[in-house]
Amino acid sequence: MALSPSNGRTRTVAPLSETPARARILKRLHSRPTVRGSVTALVILIAVVMLAPLFAPQNPYDLANLNLLDGRLEPYSPMTDGGYYWLGTDDQGRDMLSAILYGLRISLMVGLTAVALATAIGSLAGLVAAYAGGIVDTIIMRLVDFILGFPTILVALVLLAMMGRGVDKVILALVIVQWAHYARIMRGRALQERRKEYVEAASNLGFPAWRIILFHLLPNCLAPVMVFATVQIANAIVLEATLSFLGVGVPITEPSLGLLIANGFQYLLSGDYWISLFPGLALLFLILTINIVGDRLRESLDPRRA
């Protein structure tokens, strides 16, 4: 362990360019065709979704432009102003291709935002619990056990029933039900790192607790949390879709993939399969690519496979 001559800060993690493990991890990821394909597909999907107004034939959230006479049209049906409804329309006359692109944007935004906030809150709680110990550790972990003792979907349903519908409320509900997972993982890793020499050296040098937590413990505990967060993005998207399918998620005027599936569910027996099928396939493809990347990343970071 060496001290930087400029500011006296203890270096605990080597730069990425100097880390041999980084080259090994990247080599493992690049050697998997499924990983390369999933990463490429995910990047293209995110780019298309972020630029949805450029690719979507209509704005499905603009109710003034929807025509009920165009409702439940089959795929490849012609538009009145030229062009085609490539994936058909729903019962409100929304172009399904446009609705899926905008719905994917909401699903990704909800998943990424909820996971980012839950990771930050849970990681900080876990670090504080591990470093402080004693009564602080007991209070935080008993709260974690209390939250994890209830089914996630049940807690989210109760919260949204009290708060109402809305994208911001869905994100808040997901953060409340997910932060405890990150706190438990971070605490377990931080307890291992806290017993190592560099933490003792930093404490002996008189560094404040917040600096030891943020600049010493946190960088060395991030790997398992980040891998878990990658997988949890898919879980958050599925949970949001489930809540929207049950009618307590996003508002009807801004449907996500779950609500689009719910809107077409009642028409499945009538033969209008496309209203639910295509949003379901889009959701399946998104979850599959995220899970493949997260699973391979977990394998690459597993020290037992080094």
Side-chain angles (χ1 to χ4, degrees):
M1 180 179 60
L3 296 178
S4 173
S6 58
N7 53 16
R9 178 175 297 175
T10 305
R11 172 180 291 182
T12 60
V13 180
L16 289 178
S17 58
E18 301 175 7
T19 305
R22 179 174 181 263
R24 184 175 67 254
I25 292 171
L26 292 177
K27 182 178 179 180
R28 287 181 183 177
L29 293 176
H30 291 162
S31 63
R32 301 291 186 90
T34 54
V35 177
R36 294 199 301 268
S38 298
V39 172
T40 302
L42 189 59
V43 171
I44 294 176
L45 181 62
I46 292 176
V48 171
V49 168
M50 293 299 102
L51 300 175
L54 300 179
F55 297 99
Q58 68 174 204
N59 182 359
Y61 298 160
D62 187 2
L63 301 181
N65 292 331
L66 300 182
N67 188 353
L68 292 177
L69 297 179
D70 291 336
R72 300 167 60 184
L73 294 179
E74 295 183 356
Y76 308 112
S77 297
M79 297 181 177
T80 56
D81 55 352
Y84 293 90
Y85 293 114
W86 296 105
L87 301 182
T89 62
D90 64 1
D91 57 336
Q92 301 296 320
R94 291 189 184 92
D95 173 49
M96 290 305 303
L97 176 60
S98 304
I100 289 173
L101 291 178
Y102 278 78
L104 281 169
R105 173 189 285 187
I106 290 184
S107 298
L108 279 172
M109 182 190 68
V110 170
L112 292 174
T113 305
V115 168
L117 293 175
T119 302
I121 296 173
S123 298
L124 181 60
L127 286 172
V128 171
Y131 187 81
I135 186 64
V136 176
D137 184 22
T138 302
I139 293 175
I140 293 178
M141 296 316 297
R142 293 299 75 77
L143 180 60
V144 168
D145 294 337
F146 177 78
I147 294 177
L148 296 180
F150 294 93
T152 301
I153 184 65
L154 177 61
V155 177
L157 281 172
V158 172
L159 291 174
L160 288 174
M162 294 187 300
M163 296 185 297
R165 305 176 70 167
V167 175
D168 55 340
K169 297 179 178 63
V170 173
I171 293 175
L172 179 59
L174 294 181
V175 171
I176 292 175
V177 300
Q178 287 188 338
W179 73 269
H181 296 280
Y182 300 94
R184 175 169 287 182
I185 295 175
M186 180 62 77
R187 175 182 177 271
R189 184 59 180 267
L191 286 175
Q192 299 176 6
E193 295 293 327
R194 191 177 186 276
R195 295 190 291 265
K196 294 185 178 180
E197 292 81 0
Y198 70 88
V199 176
E200 183 180 354
S203 179
N204 292 335
L205 289 172
F207 290 169
W210 66 267
R211 181 171 178 178
I212 296 176
I213 291 175
L214 294 180
F215 293 102
H216 301 274
L217 280 178
L218 179 60
N220 291 283
C221 300
L222 272 180
V225 175
M226 297 310 297
V227 173
F228 181 75
T230 304
V231 178
Q232 281 297 103
I233 293 176
N235 292 338
I237 293 175
V238 171
L239 184 56
E240 181 276 325
T242 303
L243 294 171
S244 297
F245 182 85
L246 295 175
V248 295
V250 298
I252 300 178
T253 55
E254 298 181 359
S256 66
L257 294 179
L259 191 55
L260 290 174
I261 297 173
N263 290 340
F265 186 74
Q266 57 182 324
Y267 299 110
L268 286 177
L269 297 180
S270 302
D272 300 336
Y273 63 89
W274 60 87
I275 304 178
S276 288
L277 176 63
F278 293 131
L281 292 177
L283 180 63
L284 176 64
F285 179 75
L286 177 62
I287 300 304
L288 182 63
T289 54
I290 295 176
N291 278 335
I292 290 176
V293 174
D295 186 61
R296 295 299 181 264
L297 183 60
R298 176 185 57 80
E299 292 181 1
S300 300
L301 291 175
D302 190 352
R304 293 173 295 181
R305 299 172 61 91

